[in-house]
Amino acid sequence: MAPEAEGPRDDSPLSEALLAPSTVRMFGRKFVGLNIGDLGANAASNSPLITRLREANQRQVAATSEGREPADADVFGLARIYGFSYLGNYYKLPDPPVMLVFGKGEEVPAGYIDVISMSQMGVEFKDSVFVREIKVWAVDQLDISIRIDITIGWIKDILLFEEMSPDNNITGGQTVARSDLVGRAELVGRAELVGRAEMITTPRKR
């Protein structure tokens, strides 16, 4: 009889331990569009996230100077998250955000060939499969992280229309009306503006 596959350690966030219900599994892949530069970590801050980033960065520098690879827990970066599982349910994100993650992530088996474990998925029943290159990061619901939502569009839509108002106009000048920011292509056709009563054809007089 073949030996059973080794499961996660008892102290692993993917195990069925006492605090397992608070575990959130985030599924995605490494985001290479942005790089984390200067952390700007305040040494006097007692924020758990700032403390963790500062200490992880210090251990990375020490490991590099000693010619060894830093521990997985000290590796942090950005990942685009496409979905997450929590309390036995899987949630697909319509607009995948970019999240700060710690560790390189655990590979998720792709397709129907390999069997994905409960520890990795966090859901006991599944009828869908993952594609290749997807990894899972386990976090706690009370962890502090960073979320980046990327919006691409016309400047007038993602900046002017969203932010211009008399409330934040500190110069006191006239605020451009919304209609002046709408392009010709975004104008609604006449047929969509006509009320139902006006769309009824009046019979001709004979």
Side-chain angles (χ1 to χ4, degrees), residues 86-163:
Y86 178 62
L87 293 178
N89 296 288
Y90 185 85
Y91 301 88
K92 185 75 174 68
L93 297 175
D95 296 312
V98 175
M99 301 282 293
L100 173 70
V101 293
F102 285 87
K104 299 178 181 178
E106 183 176 339
E107 293 283 349
V108 178
Y112 288 100
I113 299 177
D114 295 317
V115 179
I116 185 171
S117 68
M118 175 68 177
S119 298
Q120 291 175 315
M121 184 67 179
V123 180
E124 82 283 2
F125 174 80
K126 71 182 185 70
D127 58 358
S128 300
V129 296
F130 286 96
V131 297
R132 292 184 299 176
E133 303 176 358
I134 297 297
K135 293 186 176 182
V136 56
W137 287 269
V139 297
D140 189 88
Q141 62 173 340
L142 296 181
D143 285 345
I144 302 177
S145 186
I146 298 175
R147 170 173 175 159
I148 303 174
D149 291 290
I150 300 176
T151 302
I152 301 175
W154 302 103
I155 291 295
K156 64 182 180 61
D157 293 331
I158 64 176
L159 179 62
L160 301 184
F161 177 70
E162 293 292 333
E163 304 298 339

Side-chain angles (χ1 to χ4, degrees), residues 2-206:
E4 294 183 0
E6 183 179 355
R9 306 183 316 273
D10 292 339
D11 60 345
S12 169
L14 295 178
S15 65
E16 198 62 58
L18 181 62
L19 300 179
S22 67
T23 300
V24 180
R25 294 166 174 82
M26 303 190 303
F27 297 86
R29 63 176 181 170
K30 183 180 179 181
F31 185 74
V32 297
L34 297 173
N35 293 322
I36 299 178
D38 186 5
L39 295 176
N42 186 356
S45 174
N46 60 358
S47 167
L49 177 61
I50 294 179
T51 301
R52 184 177 183 183
L53 287 171
R54 183 175 62 244
E55 293 177 352
N57 189 60
Q58 293 173 350
R59 287 192 290 266
Q60 282 189 32
V61 173
T64 302
S65 62
E66 296 173 3
R68 56 182 176 84
E69 290 290 328
D72 187 67
D74 294 333
V75 176
F76 56 88
L78 300 175
R80 187 182 291 280
I81 304 302
Y82 294 94
F84 66 92
S85 67
Y86 178 62
L87 293 178
N89 296 288
Y90 185 85
Y91 301 88
K92 185 75 174 68
L93 297 175
D95 296 312
V98 175
M99 301 282 293
L100 173 70
V101 293
F102 285 87
K104 299 178 181 178
E106 183 176 339
E107 293 283 349
V108 178
Y112 288 100
I113 299 177
D114 295 317
V115 179
I116 185 171
S117 68
M118 175 68 177
S119 298
Q120 291 175 315
M121 184 67 179
V123 180
E124 82 283 2
F125 174 80
K126 71 182 185 70
D127 58 358
S128 300
V129 296
F130 286 96
V131 297
R132 292 184 299 176
E133 303 176 358
I134 297 297
K135 293 186 176 182
V136 56
W137 287 269
V139 297
D140 189 88
Q141 62 173 340
L142 296 181
D143 285 345
I144 302 177
S145 186
I146 298 175
R147 170 173 175 159
I148 303 174
D149 291 290
I150 300 176
T151 302
I152 301 175
W154 302 103
I155 291 295
K156 64 182 180 61
D157 293 331
I158 64 176
L159 179 62
L160 301 184
F161 177 70
E162 293 292 333
E163 304 298 339
M164 291 179 60
S165 72
D167 296 333
N168 64 351
N169 186 356
I170 63 174
T171 55
Q174 183 178 3
T175 302
V176 180
R178 176 181 177 181
S179 59
D180 295 337
L181 296 176
V182 179
R184 179 179 179 184
E186 296 177 339
L187 291 176
V188 181
R190 179 180 179 184
E192 296 177 2
L193 296 177
V194 178
R196 180 178 179 184
E198 296 178 355
M199 296 182 67
I200 301 177
T201 304
T202 305
R204 292 185 179 181
K205 294 182 180 181
R206 294 185 179 178

